[in-house]
Amino acid sequence: MSFPDNLLNFHKRHRWPSHILYWLVYLLVSVSSSKYYNGGQASSLFEFISDGLYISTEMMAAYGIAYLVIPQFIKKRYLIAALGFVIISYAACALARVFIVKICEPLAGIRPKASETYHEIFTDIPKLLFVYFFQIMAAAFVFVFFKLLKDKLEIQKKTLLLEKEKAETELKLLKNQLNPHFLFNTLNNIYSLSLVSSPATSPSIAGLADILDHILYRCDGQFVSLKSELRLISNYIELEKLRYDERLTVNLNSDIRQEVEIAPLILLSFVENAFKHGASNDMDKPQIDITLSASENVFDFRVSNTIGFESATRNNSYPGKIGLSNLRKQLDLIYGKDYSLDIIQDEKSFTVQLTIHHINAVKNEKDSLPVG
């Protein structure tokens, strides 16, 4: 935790002690300054009392400006803020003069002037302005500066926390995108295989179990290994093939020169999108081509699917773009500007090209994949 964060936490837990500590330090600095200007002579009790009374007027101005004037100014009540500043400044300066004339000077053995009555003190505006105003306001503005700085840091901290919570919530929602129709169709297909005692029944159940295990239990972190994501995609492809006969062609090629970490379910969502809007809408011979490569700090993923005549001519738009917009939001939250997502569409195919720069490498070399 940084030093400003420690100060904010201390002030939040010990609000009043932190204020008292601030003014005590200010008092000590003031007394030390008086000692310096007095030629190094020891400060007397009178000086502590005098400085303490004077600082009380500075505190009055500081808190009045910080908690009364500035809030009105922020609310754009400029007339009330200006009037409040004048009243607080005048009251602080007049009170400081009263303390000096009626308390501090008599304690120091100086007899008050007969002419300096309360009326003269409160009406001698030039003296209040040029002798007291600037010194009192200087101390008040220092306090206000620290308060505004503290408020700014608290707002930034709260904003970052809210953005983090918002990002985490959006990521959780975006991760829950595995098409429920896929699960329903897969279970029906596995049930059909079991009726004919197909040898593919057990591998299909194992593949589905591995997919659910990955989604439910291995995607809690922000990143997972590319190896596990590639196995997830392979299982997904094998289960989707149960829905189609030999007419569907799926090509999966990988060139993994360095094992990396990637955001979970991103690649699966692209592949699912290709099956949903490519294979299912193409009644001829649909084809899906998937290639991925990972080298030092760079990851490339490309998925391309054929488009049926009906899909290609329907308003010249591709229905999968809606899901891709959600995926782009997820990529923005995780990778910021370190990725590029290109979408290419022609009359026969729809292609998504994802490139991630500065991608994290897996530290455990045992999990590295061979070049395939």
Side-chain angles (χ1 to χ4, degrees):
M1 186 176 294
S2 63
F3 179 71
D5 289 335
N6 288 328
L7 286 180
L8 288 177
N9 291 334
F10 176 82
H11 180 268
K12 187 176 296 184
R13 293 193 304 265
H14 311 285
R15 182 178 178 84
W16 288 111
S18 63
H19 282 260
I20 294 173
L21 179 61
Y22 173 85
W23 291 110
L24 283 177
V25 171
Y26 182 78
L27 175 61
L28 292 176
V29 172
S30 178
V31 172
S32 299
S33 300
S34 299
K35 176 182 176 181
Y36 174 78
Y37 287 110
N38 289 333
Q41 296 180 1
S43 299
S44 62
L45 178 62
F46 160 75
E47 290 174 336
F48 273 100
I49 296 175
S50 177
D51 288 342
L53 289 173
Y54 198 85
I55 287 175
S56 67
T57 62
E58 295 174 334
M59 292 173 61
M60 172 184 174
Y63 286 105
I65 294 173
Y67 293 98
L68 296 177
V69 175
I70 290 182
Q72 296 299 323
F73 185 84
I74 293 176
K75 295 177 181 178
K76 298 183 179 181
R77 299 173 181 174
Y78 302 121
L79 181 60
I80 297 177
L83 183 61
F85 178 78
V86 171
I87 293 174
I88 291 171
S89 302
Y90 172 78
C93 294
L95 186 60
R97 183 59 185 166
V98 169
F99 284 158
I100 294 296
V101 173
K102 301 300 182 180
I103 299 177
C104 297
E105 290 183 350
L107 286 176
I110 301 175
R111 297 182 62 181
K113 299 177 181 179
S115 61
E116 197 148 12
T117 62
Y118 283 105
H119 179 268
E120 183 178 345
I121 291 175
F122 289 121
T123 56
D124 193 354
I125 302 301
K127 180 177 289 186
L128 296 179
L129 177 62
F130 294 107
V131 177
Y132 296 95
F133 175 80
F134 294 105
Q135 184 175 351
I136 290 175
M137 287 301 110
F141 287 153
V142 171
F143 175 83
V144 170
F145 169 77
F146 283 117
K147 182 183 182 300
L148 292 178
L149 181 61
K150 185 263 299 181
D151 293 342
K152 181 68 173 179
L153 291 175
E154 287 183 344
I155 291 174
Q156 287 182 346
K157 186 176 180 179
K158 186 178 294 184
T159 301
L160 290 175
L161 182 62
L162 291 175
E163 289 179 353
K164 182 180 179 181
E165 292 177 350
K166 179 176 179 291
E168 291 177 350
T169 301
E170 290 181 357
L171 286 176
K172 289 179 180 178
L173 293 175
L174 290 169
K175 285 178 180 179
N176 297 327
Q177 290 184 350
L178 186 63
N179 193 341
H181 295 293
F182 162 75
L183 297 176
F184 178 77
N185 292 329
T186 300
L187 289 174
N188 277 339
N189 292 329
I190 294 176
Y191 174 72
S192 300
L193 292 175
S194 67
L195 292 178
V196 297
S197 301
S198 171
T201 303
S202 296
S204 299
I205 294 175
L208 179 60
D210 192 51
I211 289 177
L212 296 177
D213 177 72
H214 182 91
I215 294 175
L216 296 176
Y217 302 110
R218 302 179 191 175
C219 296
D220 293 335
Q222 188 175 9
F223 299 101
V224 295
S225 68
L226 180 59
K227 179 180 180 179
S228 62
E229 285 294 291
L230 185 56
R231 183 171 62 248
L232 176 68
I233 293 174
S234 299
N235 287 329
Y236 180 85
I237 292 174
E238 293 303 318
L239 290 176
E240 280 284 36
K241 283 182 177 179
L242 297 177
R243 299 172 54 187
Y244 306 94
D245 50 25
E246 296 298 327
R247 68 187 181 88
L248 173 64
T249 302
V250 181
N251 299 313
L252 175 61
N253 299 302
S254 62
D255 181 15
I256 314 299
R257 301 181 182 277
Q258 181 180 18
E259 178 60 25
V260 296
E261 293 180 325
I262 192 169
L265 305 183
I266 291 283
L267 306 183
L268 177 64
S269 298
F270 285 123
V271 175
E272 180 188 7
N273 199 69
F275 273 95
K276 180 179 179 181
H277 301 291
S280 60
N281 291 334
D282 196 321
M283 303 305 295
D284 187 14
K285 291 184 178 181
Q287 178 174 330
I288 297 176
D289 296 310
I290 304 169
T291 59
L292 56 90
S293 63
S295 57
E296 186 175 359
N297 296 329
V298 179
F299 171 76
D300 287 302
F301 178 79
R302 181 185 179 94
V303 57
S304 177
N305 59 269
T306 55
I307 301 177
F309 177 77
E310 180 180 355
S311 299
T313 56
R314 187 187 304 144
N315 298 326
N316 196 30
S317 63
Y318 191 69
K321 290 182 178 179
I322 299 176
L324 292 176
S325 65
N326 292 333
L327 288 171
R328 192 183 294 275
K329 292 179 182 178
Q330 187 173 350
L331 290 167
D332 287 337
L333 290 171
I334 298 174
Y335 295 106
K337 297 181 180 180
D338 288 336
Y339 86 95
S340 62
L341 181 63
D342 299 317
I343 300 174
I344 305 170
Q345 180 180 356
D346 56 33
E347 296 180 355
K348 297 182 178 180
S349 65
F350 186 88
T351 303
V352 176
Q353 174 75 44
L354 172 65
T355 302
I356 302 175
H357 304 280
H358 309 296
I359 195 166
N360 298 327
V362 174
K363 297 179 181 180
N364 187 1
E365 296 295 334
K366 295 181 180 180
D367 290 336
S368 62
L369 284 173
V371 177

